[in-house]
Amino acid sequence: MGAPPDALARVESLRQQLALHNYRYYVLDDPLISDAEWDQMLRELIDLEHHYPELISADSPTQRVGATPSDEFASARHRVPMLSLDNAFSDEEVRAFDRRVRERLELADTAPAVRYSAEPKLDGLAISVIYEKGQLVRAATRGDGTVGEDVTANIRTIRAVPLRLNGHAPALIEARGEVFMPRAGFEQLNRQAAERGEKVFANPRNAAAGSLRQLDPRVTAKRPLEIFFYALGSVEGMTFPVSHSETLSALKELGLRVSPETAQVEGAEGCLQYFASLQRRRATLDYEIDGVVYKVDSLVSQSRLGFLSRAPRWAIAHKFPAEEATTLLREVEFQVGRTGALTPVARLTPVVVGGVTVSNATLHNMDEIERKDVRIGDTVVVRRAGDVIPEVARVVISRRPSDAQAVRLPSHCPVCGAAVRREPDAAVARCTGEFSCKAQRKERLRHFAARRALDIEGLGDKLIEQVVDAGLVATPADIFTLTRGQLAALERMGEKSADNVLSAIERSKETTLARFLFALGIREVGEATAAALAQHFGSLEALLGASFEQVQQVPDVGPVVAAQLTDFFARDENRRVISQLQQAGVRWPRIDSRSAQMDQPLTGLTFVLTGSLESMSRDQAEDRLRALGARASGSVSKKTSYVIAGADAGSKLAKAEALGVPVLDEAALIEILDQRRLPN
Ligand code: IVH
């Protein structure tokens, strides 16, 4: 009994629609339907194929996962060798590459700049995918460049790889690209592995490679793999385009995903500009790249340039400085933070990581040390990404000396000698010395005087060290008792600097309740919570009088924060400091909380400010937005309502544009603040 014609028609139509929507989603990055609608169509197709198995075809989207795992991968010989790339590590090496290209092409000095295609160097693994008459027939890893492994069954499970090409496909086309695992997917995969007590992958590239080299395609199907295509291998029944950029357009038209970051640039200087701009945006990409590839765009020029051993003369990979390096862990010391938390810090043999010399790196806490099995004397991998604090990523176990020593949590604070307490189930160990611990004192004062707190200009790390060591200041209230004579007597302080500091201290007295609460350094009370508390209670007195339950009425305040607050305000010492501060003249405008709450036209909106504003500082703008009920955040996400971009806005602006978050300029911000509403 054959399938009825309408079932056949429906199956065909579903497959076509599913392929179209996959193309819109992955290749054009412009989906027309929701994931749920896509899933529903797929389910309908699965049902139909279940009823009429004779309608199943190899290119049906239901057939991505083949049933049988294999014992080993078959080898696959490449029709055209898969080459590697030469590397450049400096601007000078890129200029030298461009000069070599010009010489080989016999271009006169006066001839125009060479046009290059510049694209991200994706950190995954190279793959070749062959389509015959539009059908995916084979996929292979690069292997040694001549022979790779046949991973067709696994590549078929990657949804971004079409099983059938769009439109009028040539007799044969071999597309080459990079399979990679996006950061978010990698982190989730590792979290799941850790929960099950399984081995985690060191980085997304290893995770991608490990996922593709699974003998059971059902495992690969569960891994979040993606792909960008960046080259043609061999083709039959189609004329080659004339340039690399046209090749990419042709791939895209056939339904093969290419990187949206690719650009055409002119000469070495164009390459270097592209490099700098991609390096700035690197952290905003949701996958890892390790540099930029420049390719001579004209294919005629490419063939004139030819190859040298395993790499083409017409392309080069310009690598970002390595973000990881190995070095020796000489010692572990414990730093005491504002809340007494002991942070283990690795003292290293200095090493250059990402272009910066690193001699200290964080080990986070004792749990991390145990998890990574870090010992003193180990050779460790240090990682530094963007602006984050360098960390010890892992140990090179094979290089562990026999006398490597375990790291011990000290029983007493290395600064004040008070007992160290580690609460059960908590990763953090703390010094119990509180204000009597000089390290905690200094950190609390540093926090109190910081720009986003009381903003006491000139009272920096160095001066805090001095006034605490000299016994002049122990609590924030003591700052306001400092005299000109005391300050001027300190090393490297003259009367002039003393006066400057004193007037900064004077200016800081005029503040806001939110800043004041934040400045107190109560555990779990960051800027946003402080602002919410100020807004809700309107006055310090109201907050001090609030019960544990009442504090939890504030948005975002749960039992943990509430416990910290009530604990903090219950202590005589803290109450005393607060009243001393008020007596010293620290003051803020009263917030009429009821009317303030009713008059919060920007409630529910999140703003991110970036770049510099002309008419006010970023902090001032954030304070004013908060006063209207908005949230001010430091990072752009899909949840951001608006990004306000001042002059020289950088990566946050780029990210907003990438995510489609509306961007406003300073004039629009001023209008919002003045009109107390969003522009029309
Ligand atoms: S082109 C003849 N383009 O880098 C040129 N490769 O170091 C062959 N790679 O094996 C490759 N991103 O795995 C090219 N946009 C890109 C790339 C890229 C990453 C990898 C690829 C290749 C390796 C060479």
Side-chain angles (χ1 to χ4, degrees):
M1 195 181 71
D6 57 339
L8 175 66
R10 182 64 186 153
V11 161
E12 266 307 314
S13 142
L14 284 168
R15 284 183 194 152
Q16 252 169 32
Q17 288 184 63
L18 286 163
L20 166 76
H21 292 302
N22 233 22
Y23 173 68
R24 300 285 312 197
Y25 184 90
Y26 286 107
V27 182
L28 301 185
D29 198 13
D30 184 19
L32 294 174
I33 60 168
S34 68
D35 291 2
E37 285 171 282
W38 197 93
D39 290 342
Q40 203 185 336
M41 278 199 264
L42 183 67
R43 261 197 309 274
E44 187 187 343
L45 181 61
I46 292 171
D47 277 353
L48 280 167
E49 290 181 353
H50 185 74
H51 265 90
Y52 309 109
E54 64 272 31
L55 297 184
I56 297 175
S57 69
D59 64 0
S60 173
T62 61
Q63 303 301 302
R64 285 197 174 270
V65 186
T68 43
S70 51
D71 298 335
E72 61 174 354
F73 295 110
S75 53
R77 179 168 291 273
H78 299 299
R79 302 167 69 103
V80 182
M82 288 182 80
L83 301 168
S84 62
L85 291 167
D86 273 343
N87 291 324
F89 295 98
S90 67
D91 292 3
E92 217 18 75
E93 287 174 27
V94 173
R95 293 194 183 100
F97 161 73
D98 178 58
R99 273 196 301 275
R100 287 196 302 274
V101 166
R102 295 183 67 89
E103 277 163 21
R104 289 221 157 234
L105 293 176
E106 296 174 333
L107 295 175
D109 288 350
T110 50
V114 174
R115 168 167 295 188
Y116 294 97
S117 173
E119 47 197 75
K121 185 165 193 309
L122 305 153
D123 207 3
L125 62 154
I127 213 83
S128 140
V129 187
I130 297 178
Y131 291 88
E132 280 174 9
K133 300 201 200 76
Q135 308 278 327
L136 191 164
V137 294
R138 197 196 77 177
T141 61
R142 176 167 177 272
D144 64 5
T146 312
V147 180
E149 286 176 321
D150 184 329
V151 287
T152 313
N154 290 342
I155 288 293
R156 286 176 61 95
T157 68
I158 303 175
R159 261 184 64 185
V161 177
L163 299 176
R164 172 160 60 169
L165 294 177
N166 278 350
H168 209 73
L172 182 142
I173 183 166
E174 181 197 355
R176 291 177 175 179
E178 195 89 349
V179 171
F180 60 93
M181 190 177 287
R183 264 193 275 262
F186 163 72
E187 275 153 24
Q188 198 189 357
L189 184 67
N190 265 359
R191 254 197 316 277
Q192 290 165 349
E195 273 164 22
R196 288 196 295 261
E198 292 167 10
K199 205 173 143 274
V200 297
F201 289 106
N203 54 49
R205 192 202 29 227
N206 288 1
S211 300
L212 207 57
R213 296 198 71 264
Q214 288 287 335
L215 289 167
D216 184 351
R218 285 170 298 192
V219 176
T220 311
K222 294 197 189 103
R223 302 287 172 82
L225 295 176
E226 295 202 4
I227 194 163
F228 281 128
F229 288 93
Y230 48 61
L232 274 176
S234 55
V235 295
E236 285 169 20
M238 166 184 143
T239 45
F240 249 86
V242 302
S243 66
H244 181 70
S245 41
E246 280 179 27
T247 303
L248 295 180
S249 308
L251 288 171
K252 192 169 169 180
E253 233 153 77
L254 288 166
L256 300 164
R257 192 172 182 232
V258 302
S259 167
E261 310 295 335
T262 304
Q264 284 164 263
V265 299
E266 309 285 331
E269 298 314 310
C271 290
L272 297 177
Q273 268 172 25
Y274 177 91
F275 183 81
S277 99
L278 196 63
Q279 196 171 18
R280 276 198 299 277
R281 280 182 304 126
R282 182 181 185 186
T284 69
L285 299 177
D286 51 17
Y287 47 86
E288 293 204 340
I289 60 176
D290 59 352
V292 169
V293 184
Y294 312 120
K295 301 172 181 170
V296 170
D297 197 38
S298 153
L299 297 195
V300 173
S301 301
Q302 281 192 7
S303 62
R304 283 180 57 197
L305 287 158
F307 304 88
L308 187 67
S309 70
R310 321 251 353 111
R313 286 205 189 87
W314 43 262
I316 200 158
H318 187 182
K319 304 286 277 280
F320 294 134
E323 294 197 312
E324 287 191 349
T326 41
T327 188
L328 186 69
L329 171 64
R330 305 203 310 199
E331 192 53 76
V332 173
E333 286 172 13
F334 286 82
Q335 257 170 18
V336 185
R338 173 166 59 85
T339 59
L342 261 60
T343 304
V345 178
R347 305 289 180 213
L348 309 162
T349 300
V351 62
V352 178
V353 192
V356 176
T357 302
V358 171
S359 40
N360 304 307
T362 182
L363 285 157
H364 301 290
N365 54 53
M366 290 306 292
D367 283 0
E368 284 285 300
I369 291 180
E370 270 161 45
R371 195 173 64 76
K372 293 175 181 161
D373 187 20
V374 178
R375 300 189 198 169
I376 298 162
D378 268 339
T379 295
V380 294
V381 176
V382 182
R383 179 165 56 209
R384 189 185 154 268
D387 298 332
V388 302
I389 303 168
E391 62 167 0
V392 171
R394 59 188 177 276
V395 171
V396 185
I397 294 282
S398 60
R399 287 168 65 181
R400 171 168 288 165
S402 56
D403 61 350
Q405 284 189 9
V407 180
R408 286 239 182 75
L409 179 71
S411 59
H412 290 87
C413 173
V415 179
C416 74
V420 166
R421 196 175 53 214
R422 192 168 169 193
E423 280 143 37
D425 300 334
V428 187
R430 285 179 206 279
C431 156
T432 52
E434 308 246 333
F435 262 123
S436 62
C437 173
K438 269 194 184 177
Q440 291 193 51
R441 237 185 243 169
K442 287 175 187 170
E443 288 304 319
R444 285 185 192 192
L445 290 166
R446 210 168 274 166
H447 176 81
F448 183 83
R451 200 168 55 83
R452 312 184 76 100
L454 270 245
D455 192 15
I456 310 179
E457 223 184 307
L459 189 55
D461 293 1
K462 189 89 203 113
L463 189 53
I464 288 174
E465 287 275 318
Q466 287 177 293
V467 292
V468 173
D469 289 342
L472 299 174
V473 174
T475 75
D478 299 336
I479 292 172
F480 297 91
T481 65
L482 283 169
T483 65
R484 187 173 193 235
Q486 285 172 335
L487 284 169
L490 296 170
E491 219 176 296
R492 276 190 298 276
M493 282 289 282
E495 297 200 333
K496 181 105 196 0
S497 344
D499 284 341
N500 287 341
V501 173
L502 283 178
S503 53
I505 291 175
E506 194 55 38
R507 279 198 304 276
S508 77
K509 289 180 180 172
E510 193 105 38
T511 186
T512 64
L513 178 55
R515 277 177 179 266
F516 181 76
L517 291 174
F518 174 59
L520 291 177
I522 306 164
R523 251 195 252 169
E524 306 290 338
V525 179
E527 258 183 306
T529 307
L533 288 166
Q535 200 59 55
H536 184 88
F537 288 103
S539 73
L540 182 62
E541 294 68 37
L543 172 59
L544 288 174
S547 68
F548 184 68
E549 286 71 29
Q550 283 168 332
V551 178
Q552 289 184 64
Q553 305 287 307
V554 179
D556 290 347
V557 174
V560 174
V561 182
Q564 293 293 352
L565 279 164
T566 32
D567 187 50
F568 185 90
F569 291 130
R571 292 178 190 225
D572 290 342
E573 157 118 22
N574 294 333
R575 291 232 174 206
R576 193 175 65 240
V577 170
I578 290 172
S579 72
Q580 283 171 350
L581 285 167
Q582 286 182 294
Q583 271 160 34
V586 177
R587 59 192 175 273
W588 47 86
R590 205 184 159 80
I591 307 167
D592 180 351
S593 67
R594 202 146 23 110
S595 73
Q597 273 172 20
M598 288 193 310
D599 194 15
Q600 296 214 304
L602 305 185
T603 301
L605 298 177
T606 303
F607 286 76
V608 174
L609 284 97
T610 177
S612 48
L613 302 173
E614 268 176 29
S615 57
M616 63 190 108
S617 73
R618 238 157 49 195
D619 285 351
Q620 284 170 326
E622 289 183 0
D623 282 347
R624 292 185 61 184
L625 286 167
R626 284 199 197 98
L628 296 176
R631 271 167 176 274
S633 164
S635 58
V636 181
S637 75
K638 274 188 257 171
K639 291 187 187 143
T640 308
S641 319
Y642 293 95
V643 166
I644 311 278
D648 299 322
S651 64
K652 290 180 192 169
L653 175 58
K655 182 147 188 208
E657 282 165 355
L659 292 176
V661 172
V663 177
L664 303 175
D665 61 9
E666 183 167 355
L669 169 68
I670 292 170
E671 191 177 334
I672 292 174
L673 296 176
D674 287 350
Q675 304 290 319
R676 305 173 63 81
R677 62 177 173 77
L678 291 175
N680 297 319

